[in-house]
Amino acid sequence: MIVPHPYYRLNPARAVHISGIINRELLSRITPQILKLQAVSRNPITVYVDSPGGSVDGMETLLRTLKLTDQDSSGPCHIITAVTQRAASAAADLLSSGDYAIAYPHSAILYHGMRTQESNPLTVESTSVLARILRRSNDRYALELARKIDDRFSFRFLFARNNFDEVRTKHPNQQLSDLQCFIEFIDGKLSKEARKVWQRAKERHGRYKELFTTVVKRVKGEIAKMSVAQAEAAAIKAIVEFEVKANKGDPDWSFRGGGLERLTDDFLLFHEYLTGFASGRLQEWSADWGKFIVAPEIAKEIDAIADEKERSKKLNETVGPLLEPLTSFFAAFCHALQEGENELTATDAYWLGLVDEVVGEDDLLCLRHMEEDKPDPVPTENAEKEAKQSEEVTAAGA
Amino acid sequence: MSNPATEHQQEDATPKSAREKERENEFREAVNRVYKKYGNNLSAFLRDIQKQKELVKRG
């Protein structure tokens, strides 16, 4: 029996509309509306989005306002975001930040990296500072995006797993790993435009793997005893050797002639890779979904552990290695989204974990289905009698 | 090098309100209910949901 749940349902009666550019004027207009809704009750708020984007600061202020607690520390209102027509740039980020994010079919969602407009003439010094700032901003936003969408992305993986056997059967290489199956499966669901970002994520992930084998394996044993700077230095040394070895056959290659930039890129990539593993949220995720990913007999064994802490530890130990490849690919994907212009359809956004649901698309599994599917009520004696009487009345009437 | 693990822990350390905890339990219950019935076969669960929707549409 499907019972509508307010945490997943659009509610125009408790909604704000983000239309047009996200700027100071929009914030002045929207803030009183949000505060009023929060004061009336702590029920979910729907945020309809149709915006080309705007200031990132403005979007962050808006998010903070939406997530305000009250004087009784009741916790923030649950936020349902919904793109009606277009969510680009900062608006796309706002969309994905919803506790539950919905896209109307035919809506368009555009992701790209940070950009800036400079009014002052550029110099060598200012461009290098600017490049560093933009790079850092992109990295920060990729990390923040990862926090917002990792649950959705992992949920897609859980669903996709049921199709891995089919993917393997159809693929020329039937020995595909689970991650490769997942990549293939999602690739088949995406539009041509979205496949480009997926391809970039694959390339980036391939680079992670190369770096991992040469760098991480070399410093792995010692890294626990090192300070952050020492670990960074060890990584840089290993990357220098890696690049020199990789470019041995090219007599024109040098650090001065572009290799230094590559070294910086590698170093930051390596950091991204580590970031993928460091998330403490994995434990929380395992508690909810771990059982779906391990073999049923192992799930049973874990369930049989009486002590809750031990059970959770065992689940994490089992799930962690299974999810490792996905986690590092996910980090690559979040960074790939910050490169170039990524114009996505509503369905792309669903498969890439950027939204939870596409309105009217019944074949896309979402969390709403899980919470709204309630067991049918057990009929009581009275209810049975009433049903029988009603049937008799209907029959007599006929 | 910033430590994202610590950042997450700091973020997660914010005390949760009773309402949020209740909500978490409600969510976990729903997930466990699906697992009990379908195991890890979410495709079967989706098919069931689609059937239910069809029935509702037909009245």
Side-chain angles (χ1 to χ4, degrees), chain A residues 101-334:
Chain A
I102 300 175
Y104 274 84
H106 311 301
S107 55
I109 297 135
L110 174 79
Y111 274 88
H112 60 65
M114 272 292 277
R115 50 188 57 177
T116 182
Q117 282 180 334
E118 290 302 300
S119 48
N120 295 327
L122 294 173
T123 62
V124 171
E125 292 77 22
S126 66
T127 45
S128 110
V129 170
L130 203 57
R132 205 169 59 233
I133 291 172
L134 285 175
R135 172 82 200 228
R136 280 193 183 163
S137 299
N138 272 355
D139 287 346
R140 182 165 81 86
Y141 285 113
L143 190 65
E144 280 182 14
L145 179 71
R147 278 182 207 158
K148 289 169 190 168
I149 67 167
D150 58 358
D151 280 359
R152 293 186 197 126
F153 197 79
S154 311
F155 187 59
R156 297 295 170 274
F157 182 72
L158 287 189
F159 179 70
R161 284 180 86 237
N162 298 146
N163 300 277
F164 288 175
D165 285 345
E166 199 187 327
V167 173
R168 284 192 183 100
T169 317
K170 286 181 183 167
H171 201 271
N173 171 14
Q174 300 195 351
Q175 305 298 314
L176 292 180
S177 68
D178 277 5
L179 177 65
Q180 286 168 321
C181 284
F182 175 66
I183 292 171
E184 283 292 314
F185 177 80
I186 297 291
D187 195 72
K189 303 284 182 192
L190 299 176
S191 69
K192 201 174 151 195
E193 275 302 304
R195 274 196 200 121
K196 289 181 192 165
V197 66
W198 201 238
Q199 181 58 32
R200 280 205 306 279
K202 277 199 272 185
E203 285 161 11
R204 207 174 180 101
H205 186 246
R207 189 94 185 125
Y208 284 170
K209 281 191 349 200
E210 274 183 70
L211 276 173
F212 178 80
T213 37
T214 49
V215 182
V216 179
K217 280 187 181 166
R218 220 189 109 176
V219 294
K220 208 177 179 180
E222 305 150 37
I223 209 159
K225 299 172 214 154
M226 292 176 180
S227 69
V228 172
Q230 282 173 326
E232 283 179 341
I236 291 169
K237 276 182 210 164
I239 294 168
V240 167
E241 282 173 28
F242 168 75
E243 284 297 345
V244 170
K245 203 173 161 192
N247 293 288
K248 215 164 66 180
D250 180 359
D252 295 330
W253 187 91
S254 71
F255 281 104
R256 204 177 40 189
L260 203 55
E261 282 83 359
R262 184 70 189 211
L263 171 69
T264 314
D265 273 352
D266 284 347
F267 176 69
L268 294 169
L269 267 178
F270 178 66
H271 178 226
E272 284 172 30
Y273 186 80
L274 291 180
T275 304
F277 287 109
S279 170
R281 287 164 62 97
L282 181 67
Q283 291 182 7
E284 215 168 291
W285 190 87
S286 292
D288 289 335
W289 300 104
K291 279 193 286 191
F292 285 81
I293 211 165
V294 298
E297 58 277 12
I298 295 176
K300 242 183 199 175
E301 270 175 37
I302 294 174
D303 255 352
I305 301 172
D307 183 64
E308 200 187 325
K309 269 189 185 168
E310 279 301 309
R311 194 168 59 240
S312 154
K313 195 179 152 202
K314 182 76 184 162
L315 194 60
N316 271 321
E317 282 170 3
T318 318
V319 172
L322 295 174
L323 276 186
E324 258 181 35
L326 180 73
T327 318
S328 63
F329 181 78
F330 176 60
F333 166 66
C334 288

Side-chain angles (χ1 to χ4, degrees), chain A residues 5 147 162 232 288 371, chain B residues 1 7 23 26 28 42:
Chain A
H5 193 297
R147 278 182 207 158
N162 298 146
E232 283 179 341
D288 289 335
E371 282 221 68
Chain B
M1 213 179 274
E7 283 172 32
R23 170 78 198 115
E26 189 191 3
R28 263 181 203 157
L42 290 174

Side-chain angles (χ1 to χ4, degrees), chain A residues 316-366:
Chain A
N316 271 321
E317 282 170 3
T318 318
V319 172
L322 295 174
L323 276 186
E324 258 181 35
L326 180 73
T327 318
S328 63
F329 181 78
F330 176 60
F333 166 66
C334 288
H335 281 81
L337 260 186
Q338 306 290 326
E339 290 170 10
E341 302 283 304
N342 304 297
E343 184 92 44
L344 309 172
T345 65
T347 316
D348 290 333
Y350 168 84
W351 286 112
L352 297 174
L354 299 164
V355 297
D356 292 280
E357 179 176 347
V358 180
V359 174
E361 294 284 347
D362 288 347
D363 54 345
L364 304 179
L365 182 70
C366 48

